[in-house]
Amino acid sequence: MAGTQNGNEGLWRVLAGVGAVGVGIGLIGGVPLLTLLGALLAFVGLIGLAVTRRK
C-alpha cells in the first residue's frame, strides 16, 4: 500500500483508528463515557480524512 499521503492524511487515519479502539474498549468494558468519546474521535477522524482526500 505504498502511496502518497495528502497533507495530514496519516494523522486523520490514526485519529479514526484510536476512536474505533476506544469504542471497542468502551463497549467491552461497559464504560459509556469511553464509548462516547471514542465514537466522537472516530467521526472526527473520518470526516477529516474525507476532507483531506477531497483536496
Side-chain angles (χ1 to χ4, degrees):
M1 285 192 170
T4 60
Q5 291 186 349
N6 299 332
N8 294 328
E9 186 176 340
L11 174 70
W12 294 114
R13 245 181 237 269
V14 169
L15 189 63
V18 168
V21 169
V23 168
I25 292 172
L27 287 175
I28 291 171
V31 183
L33 184 62
L34 185 58
T35 305
L36 181 65
L37 291 175
L40 182 64
L41 279 177
F43 283 136
V44 168
L46 290 175
I47 290 170
L49 187 60
V51 169
T52 302
R53 285 186 175 179
R54 250 184 180 189
K55 289 183 178 183

